[in-house]
Amino acid sequence: MNANIEPASNAPASGMHSPPAAAKPGDTLLTRTSRTTAQRRLAPVENALCGATAGLVSRALVSPFDVVKITLQLETAKSASRLRTGSVIACATRIMHAEGVRGFFKGNLSAEYLYLSYGAMQFLAFGTIEAALRRAQAPKRVRSFVGGALAGALATSVTYPFDLLRTRFIAQELSSRVHSSLVEAVGHIYREEGVRGFYRGLWPACLQIMPYMGIVFTSYDMLASGYRWARRTVLSESPILRLLDPVQDAVIGAGAAVIGKTCVYPLDLVRKRLQIQGPHLLSYAHGRVPKYVGMSDALMYIVRQEGVLALFRGLTPALIKAAPASATVFFVFGHTRDLLLSLRP
């Protein structure tokens, strides 16, 4: 998504701004009201605020899916049947029976910090990078892919400790905790593992997030272009697309997320397994995850001992989570942006 393309207005001779141009069928965040002559863009701080707001709202909706996904990723049983939807339901049932509703919100505090800071950093960086590439006259597709990839890598690196903390809280049982609070966990990890302990699995995370965010932003642009073309030509009178117009940004964002998540999912699974490595490995995930010496070792071990399909364990809840999460991010970002612009004099 082009985070810096903003609604525009005509500037009459009187100096007063006329209302933005009315939306046409198929307009998205990328094109809405761009038909007028004067453009107004979000400042970097406004981009960050919109991204942080979108991240917080998104997290509130997907926490249970996140817990189920990570629980399945840490499951090492060699069984392709565990990849089916039934395993998702079985996993959710086990969590409910063992830990109650609270079990679906383990690690939620660190996850809220993660989504807040990641959302702010991602859109701040994307807006800045995309603007620089535009000044360099880079093609639109290049701006979307490179801007999304670099923004994702930067946001991941800055906020990674929160991601690791979320995984460790989810991996522990409420009845036998390794960490009792976020502050205690930070001190515990620092004393026993040092600063490096907060960055276990960062390498596969960056390898994953760079193509993922590049694919998501590029897919968003391509799906948005396709939607606009269909809406204004062959499907201009479609009642279904007419109903989708008010939420088209959310629908397109969800589709982009599904494409991106599926492409890079094996690296996400490896990252989660590396995040719980350390002196308390046997205390997480019922002690089922073996010790790995790095990303390559983890990948080869999983393929050799569990099969290739094991690299996609937990993909179903991941996609269920990714679609509404990404849809919410794009939807809330767009409306928060429009609100900020409407408050300008």
Side-chain angles (χ1 to χ4, degrees), residues 20-35 220 224-225 227-229 231-232 241 244-250 252 337:
K24 294 182 179 179
D27 279 349
T28 68
L29 291 177
L30 297 172
T31 61
R32 191 175 300 131
T33 66
S34 62
R35 293 175 297 278
Y220 183 93
S225 298
Y227 181 91
R228 292 197 307 274
W229 177 83
R231 188 69 179 88
R232 294 172 180 173
L241 290 188
L244 289 178
D245 280 345
V247 293
Q248 60 193 270
D249 296 316
I252 294 170
R337 180 203 64 183

XYZ file of all heavy atoms in Angstrom, residues 20-35 220 224-225 227-229 231-232 241 244-250 252 337:
276
model
N -12.670 17.274 -1.138
C -12.025 16.281 -1.998
C -12.991 15.755 -3.039
O -14.198 15.745 -2.849
C -11.611 15.167 -1.011
C -11.554 15.835 0.327
C -12.608 16.899 0.280
N -12.425 15.317 -4.167
C -13.256 14.780 -5.240
C -14.025 13.571 -4.764
O -13.535 12.778 -3.970
C -12.376 14.406 -6.434
N -15.241 13.395 -5.241
C -16.064 12.271 -4.829
C -15.447 10.965 -5.303
O -14.855 10.887 -6.373
C -17.465 12.424 -5.415
N -15.608 9.917 -4.476
C -15.043 8.613 -4.816
C -15.773 8.019 -6.008
O -16.977 8.172 -6.166
C -15.150 7.673 -3.622
N -15.032 7.336 -6.859
C -15.598 6.634 -8.003
C -15.513 5.141 -7.760
O -14.707 4.679 -6.969
C -14.831 6.988 -9.282
C -14.986 8.448 -9.707
C -14.244 8.692 -11.007
C -14.393 10.131 -11.477
N -13.653 10.373 -12.728
N -16.326 4.339 -8.445
C -16.262 2.894 -8.262
C -14.850 2.375 -8.500
O -14.219 2.690 -9.499
C -17.241 2.355 -9.324
C -18.195 3.480 -9.551
C -17.372 4.731 -9.413
N -14.360 1.553 -7.551
C -13.040 0.951 -7.709
C -11.921 1.752 -7.095
O -10.779 1.299 -7.089
N -12.188 2.949 -6.566
C -11.126 3.720 -5.915
C -10.652 2.979 -4.668
O -11.437 2.400 -3.930
C -11.627 5.104 -5.500
C -11.612 6.072 -6.676
O -11.033 5.715 -7.708
O -12.189 7.166 -6.533
N -9.338 2.995 -4.415
C -8.770 2.404 -3.214
C -7.935 3.456 -2.525
O -7.867 4.604 -2.947
C -7.875 1.188 -3.553
O -6.728 1.663 -4.245
C -8.623 0.178 -4.403
N -7.235 3.022 -1.461
C -6.345 3.948 -0.767
C -5.304 4.522 -1.706
O -4.781 5.609 -1.481
C -5.626 3.223 0.382
C -6.486 2.798 1.576
C -5.621 2.049 2.564
C -7.158 3.986 2.215
N -4.994 3.781 -2.759
C -3.943 4.222 -3.665
C -4.410 5.314 -4.622
O -3.606 6.063 -5.155
C -3.441 3.023 -4.494
C -2.794 1.911 -3.687
C -2.532 0.723 -4.602
C -1.504 2.378 -3.068
N -5.722 5.394 -4.859
C -6.196 6.296 -5.903
C -7.230 7.302 -5.453
O -7.522 8.236 -6.166
C -6.829 5.469 -7.042
O -7.931 4.736 -6.507
C -5.827 4.505 -7.644
N -7.822 7.074 -4.256
C -8.947 7.885 -3.848
C -8.609 9.370 -3.845
O -7.637 9.799 -3.249
C -9.413 7.430 -2.454
C -10.749 8.006 -2.021
C -11.162 7.398 -0.696
N -11.284 5.952 -0.840
C -10.732 5.103 -0.001
N -10.020 5.527 1.005
N -10.878 3.815 -0.187
N -9.381 10.138 -4.531
C -9.289 11.590 -4.638
C -7.968 12.076 -5.210
O -7.582 13.216 -5.019
C -9.520 12.281 -3.262
O -8.464 11.956 -2.387
C -10.851 11.890 -2.677
N -7.272 11.235 -5.956
C -6.010 11.672 -6.556
C -6.246 12.351 -7.899
O -5.299 12.691 -8.597
C -5.077 10.463 -6.751
O -5.657 9.544 -7.633
N -7.516 12.549 -8.258
C -7.811 13.154 -9.543
C -7.718 14.669 -9.509
O -7.865 15.320 -10.519
C -9.209 12.721 -9.987
C -9.305 11.230 -10.304
C -10.727 10.839 -10.610
N -11.603 11.038 -9.468
C -11.711 10.154 -8.484
N -10.961 9.066 -8.497
N -12.542 10.370 -7.486
N -0.745 -5.905 -2.919
C -1.810 -4.925 -2.668
C -1.973 -4.002 -3.879
O -3.086 -3.748 -4.343
C -1.498 -4.115 -1.419
C -2.600 -3.128 -1.049
C -3.596 -3.486 -0.153
C -2.647 -1.860 -1.617
C -4.619 -2.604 0.165
C -3.667 -0.974 -1.311
C -4.650 -1.348 -0.409
O -5.654 -0.472 -0.112
N -5.222 -4.074 -6.156
C -5.973 -2.818 -6.231
C -6.155 -2.382 -7.676
O -7.241 -1.941 -8.077
C -5.251 -1.733 -5.431
N -5.094 -2.519 -8.480
C -5.195 -2.156 -9.893
C -6.196 -3.050 -10.613
O -7.009 -2.581 -11.419
C -3.818 -2.259 -10.567
O -2.904 -1.359 -9.982
N -8.703 -4.646 -9.250
C -10.044 -4.325 -8.759
C -10.597 -3.085 -9.459
O -11.750 -3.058 -9.888
C -10.002 -4.107 -7.246
C -11.353 -3.797 -6.635
C -12.162 -4.814 -6.154
C -11.816 -2.486 -6.546
C -13.410 -4.552 -5.605
C -13.059 -2.204 -6.003
C -13.846 -3.235 -5.526
O -15.077 -2.952 -4.988
N -9.759 -2.061 -9.569
C -10.201 -0.831 -10.229
C -10.577 -1.101 -11.690
O -11.587 -0.596 -12.186
C -9.108 0.238 -10.172
C -8.835 0.776 -8.783
C -8.057 2.089 -8.857
N -6.847 1.977 -9.654
C -5.682 1.572 -9.187
N -5.572 1.197 -7.911
N -4.618 1.515 -9.960
N -9.752 -1.914 -12.362
C -10.026 -2.229 -13.772
C -11.353 -2.977 -13.892
O -12.194 -2.647 -14.735
C -8.889 -3.068 -14.337
C -9.140 -3.500 -15.756
C -8.926 -2.793 -16.901
C -9.706 -4.765 -16.173
N -9.307 -3.520 -17.997
C -9.786 -4.729 -17.588
C -10.126 -5.896 -15.490
C -10.277 -5.796 -18.318
C -10.632 -6.956 -16.214
C -10.690 -6.909 -17.620
N -13.807 -3.090 -11.752
C -14.942 -2.284 -11.272
C -15.402 -1.265 -12.307
O -16.581 -0.906 -12.364
C -14.536 -1.573 -9.980
C -15.682 -0.864 -9.274
C -16.668 -1.870 -8.709
N -17.763 -1.207 -8.021
C -18.877 -0.792 -8.610
N -19.032 -0.951 -9.916
N -19.837 -0.221 -7.927
N -14.475 -0.811 -13.137
C -14.806 0.240 -14.083
C -15.058 -0.274 -15.499
O -15.397 0.507 -16.382
C -13.684 1.281 -14.117
C -13.550 2.034 -12.800
C -12.333 2.924 -12.779
N -12.237 3.639 -11.509
C -11.205 4.397 -11.142
N -10.187 4.533 -11.977
N -11.201 5.002 -9.987
N -19.463 -6.449 -6.216
C -18.385 -5.471 -6.079
C -18.908 -4.146 -5.547
O -18.194 -3.437 -4.837
C -17.692 -5.264 -7.429
C -16.862 -6.434 -7.949
C -16.076 -6.025 -9.190
C -15.918 -6.966 -6.889
N -18.822 -4.385 -2.005
C -17.462 -4.401 -1.467
C -16.801 -3.029 -1.473
O -15.786 -2.842 -0.788
C -16.593 -5.372 -2.280
C -16.872 -6.864 -2.117
C -15.952 -7.671 -3.019
C -16.679 -7.289 -0.663
N -17.333 -2.081 -2.221
C -16.688 -0.776 -2.336
C -16.342 -0.134 -0.995
O -15.229 0.368 -0.821
C -17.568 0.178 -3.160
C -17.423 -0.061 -4.662
O -16.458 -0.736 -5.057
O -18.279 0.414 -5.423
N -17.239 -0.144 0.007
C -16.898 0.517 1.273
C -15.759 -0.157 2.039
O -15.104 0.471 2.862
C -18.212 0.447 2.073
C -19.281 0.240 1.052
C -18.644 -0.590 -0.022
N -15.535 -1.466 1.776
C -14.499 -2.192 2.527
C -13.450 -2.775 1.590
O -12.769 -3.747 1.935
C -15.128 -3.317 3.385
C -15.981 -2.735 4.493
C -15.965 -4.272 2.509
N -13.314 -2.197 0.419
C -12.400 -2.768 -0.567
C -10.961 -2.787 -0.076
O -10.198 -3.720 -0.378
C -12.499 -1.987 -1.876
C -12.153 -0.522 -1.742
C -12.558 0.278 -2.968
O -11.785 0.420 -3.891
N -13.772 0.783 -2.981
N -10.529 -1.777 0.695
C -9.161 -1.753 1.205
C -8.893 -2.940 2.118
O -7.827 -3.553 2.084
C -8.895 -0.448 1.950
C -8.970 0.762 1.036
O -8.426 0.690 -0.078
O -9.581 1.767 1.431
N -9.892 -3.273 2.957
C -9.743 -4.415 3.850
C -9.670 -5.721 3.064
O -8.839 -6.593 3.348
C -10.906 -4.460 4.844
N -8.799 -6.226 -0.143
C -7.558 -6.300 -0.912
C -6.372 -6.552 0.009
O -5.470 -7.342 -0.294
C -7.357 -5.006 -1.721
C -8.452 -4.893 -2.794
C -5.983 -4.983 -2.387
C -8.487 -3.549 -3.497
N -5.795 7.882 8.593
C -5.178 8.879 7.714
C -6.190 9.911 7.234
O -5.956 11.124 7.292
C -4.551 8.175 6.514
C -3.879 9.110 5.513
C -3.784 8.463 4.151
N -5.114 8.229 3.614
C -5.321 7.618 2.453
N -4.308 7.151 1.757
N -6.549 7.444 2.008
